[in-house]
């Protein structure tokens, strides 16, 4: 039975794929590499991202009735298995990276005496359980999370506006051009490339596939807005020197928020966002790993990896 989802549900997963890397890894790098010029790096990186997104969609639209492995087979007929195995290896690396980063944070911030491996195993079990459903279930969960996380994120932004000091953005150019360009490229790659995991479902299985490209760009803009506001507000509240001191600046800045006297741990909401994004993105990546591995070895000679 073919799995069917609509373009909105599919693109909602792209938000998590883009933001899971940014939330726990990329923010620290951006502040370290480009200082207050991180805002400029984001803008330049997004322009590069548009080109990368165009390439991703072109490849996705190519032979829309084919899976990713079948496309590799048509493009690289002699070495498609090698290319496929390389892609699967990179997928495993990416899955491990985002899951471990979240596990490490939870261990360091909440249960310092607990080995982060336990958090990794627990996270893996949750992600595996969601992956074992199907892409339709993942997309439905992703759609719900999209609405919840949007309300949560923009509420946080509003609460932090009063703490922003415009002087923290100055001077805007505090690093050399090379650092700005490098951080822009790194941002665009981390932000764009994970979206290739939407290939885990064939385009022909999308009920309104004619709307996909336009919908994908809309969600791409939305994801960029999240990253831009996260960097801009953190920088505006803390300034670059203080922001660089924190391993998880998006988490730390929320400690500035206090609502009444009984609600002062708003930073935990940031963790909820991160868990949301990581769970969905890791589930999509893991599903892609399972499907691609199964297909590459289906009815093939295992000993012949390079030549079909």
């Amino acid at each position: 039975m073919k799995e069917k989802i609509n373009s909105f549900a599919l693109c909602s997963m792209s938000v998590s794929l883009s933001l899971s890397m940014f939330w726990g890894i990329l923010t620290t790098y951006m502040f370290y590499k480009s200082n207050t010029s991180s805002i400029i790096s984001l803008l330049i990186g997004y322009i590069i991202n548009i080109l990368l997104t165009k390439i991703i969609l072109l490849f996705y639209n190519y032979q829309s009735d084919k899976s990713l492995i079948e496309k590799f087979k048509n493009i690289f007929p002699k070495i498609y298995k090698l290319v496929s195995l390389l892609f699967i290896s990179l997928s495993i690396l990416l899955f491990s990276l985002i899951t471990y980063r979240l596990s490490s944070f939870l261990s360091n911030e909440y249960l310092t005496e607990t080995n982060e491996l336990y958090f990794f195993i627990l996270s893996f079990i949750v992600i595996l359980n969601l992956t074992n459903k199907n892409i339709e279930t993942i997309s439905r969960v992703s759609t719900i999370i999209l609405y919840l996380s949007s309300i949560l994120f923009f509420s946080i932004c509003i609460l932090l506006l009063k703490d922003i000091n415009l002087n923290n953005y100055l001077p805007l150019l505090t690093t050399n051009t090379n650092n700005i360009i490098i951080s822009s490229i790194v941002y665009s790659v981390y932000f764009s490339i994970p979206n290739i995991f939407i290939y885990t479902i064939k385009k022909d299985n999308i009920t309104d596939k004619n709307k996909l490209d336009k919908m994908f760009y809309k969600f791409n803009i939305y994801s960029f807005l999240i990253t831009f506001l996260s960097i801009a507000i953190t920088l505006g509240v803390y300034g670059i020197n203080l922001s660089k001191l924190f391993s998880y600046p998006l988490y730390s800045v929320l400690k500035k928020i206090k609502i009444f006297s009984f609600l002062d741990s708003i930073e935990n909401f940031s963790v909820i966002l991160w868990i949301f994004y990581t769970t969905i993105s890791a589930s999509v990546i893991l599903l892609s790993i399972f499907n691609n591995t199964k297909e590459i070895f289906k009815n093939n000679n295992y000993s012949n990896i390079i030549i079909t």
Side-chain angles (χ1 to χ4, degrees), residues 68-99:
L68 178 63
I69 301 301
E70 289 172 328
K71 291 179 182 181
F72 283 158
K73 188 173 183 178
N74 291 335
I75 298 173
F76 311 104
K78 295 295 185 182
I79 58 170
Y80 87 92
K81 288 184 183 177
L82 183 62
V83 173
S84 300
L85 287 175
L86 178 60
F87 177 79
I88 292 171
S89 299
L90 292 175
S91 302
I92 294 173
L93 179 62
L94 183 59
F95 171 84
S96 302
L97 178 62
I98 61 175
T99 307

Side-chain angles (χ1 to χ4, degrees), residues 97-108:
L97 178 62
I98 61 175
T99 307
Y100 176 78
R101 182 64 171 171
L102 177 61
S103 303
S104 177
F105 167 79
L106 293 175
S107 176
N108 293 334

Side-chain angles (χ1 to χ4, degrees), residues 76-278:
F76 311 104
K78 295 295 185 182
I79 58 170
Y80 87 92
K81 288 184 183 177
L82 183 62
V83 173
S84 300
L85 287 175
L86 178 60
F87 177 79
I88 292 171
S89 299
L90 292 175
S91 302
I92 294 173
L93 179 62
L94 183 59
F95 171 84
S96 302
L97 178 62
I98 61 175
T99 307
Y100 176 78
R101 182 64 171 171
L102 177 61
S103 303
S104 177
F105 167 79
L106 293 175
S107 176
N108 293 334
E109 292 293 331
Y110 293 103
L111 294 173
T112 55
E113 300 299 322
T114 304
N115 193 304
E116 56 197 32
L117 180 61
Y118 292 111
F119 283 98
F120 183 87
I121 294 173
L122 180 61
S123 300
F124 181 78
I125 291 173
V126 173
I127 293 165
L128 182 62
N129 181 63
L130 182 57
T131 303
N132 281 336
K133 305 300 182 182
N134 50 46
I135 193 67
E136 295 178 62
T137 302
I138 296 175
S139 66
R140 283 195 292 268
V141 174
S142 176
T143 301
I144 295 172
I145 286 177
L146 175 69
Y147 288 118
L148 291 176
S149 61
S150 297
I151 295 171
L152 185 56
F153 177 79
F154 288 108
S155 297
I156 288 171
C157 289
I158 293 171
L159 290 170
L160 282 171
L161 284 177
K162 62 181 176 58
D163 295 308
I164 292 177
N165 182 351
L166 295 179
N167 291 327
N168 286 334
Y169 297 115
L170 302 174
L172 194 57
L173 291 172
T174 54
T175 188
N176 59 57
T177 304
N178 286 340
N179 285 340
I180 294 176
I181 293 175
I182 291 172
S183 60
S184 298
I185 294 173
V186 171
Y187 166 75
S188 63
V189 170
Y190 272 90
F191 184 77
S192 306
I193 299 303
N195 285 311
I196 61 179
F197 292 102
I198 64 170
Y199 294 158
T200 194
I201 183 168
K202 299 176 183 178
K203 187 175 181 181
D204 278 4
N205 291 351
I206 302 174
T207 55
D208 54 349
K209 61 182 180 181
N210 57 309
K211 298 180 181 179
L212 177 64
D213 287 18
K214 185 178 293 186
M215 186 72 68
F216 196 88
Y217 281 116
K218 288 180 179 178
F219 275 86
N220 191 260
I221 293 173
Y222 170 81
S223 298
F224 170 72
L225 182 62
I226 297 291
T227 62
F228 184 83
L229 288 175
S230 298
I231 288 289
I233 290 177
T234 302
L235 191 58
V237 172
Y238 273 156
I240 187 59
N241 292 328
L242 193 54
S243 296
K244 290 168 71 173
L245 292 178
F246 298 111
S247 299
Y248 309 97
L250 298 187
Y251 168 79
S252 300
V253 74
L254 297 187
K255 294 181 179 180
K256 300 282 290 185
I257 300 177
K258 293 184 185 296
I259 304 177
F260 309 116
S261 60
F262 58 87
L263 189 57
D264 59 357
S265 296
I266 304 297
E267 67 272 12
N268 294 318
F269 290 143
S270 176
V271 181
I272 295 173
L273 283 174
W274 190 2
I275 292 173
F276 280 169
Y277 295 143
T278 300

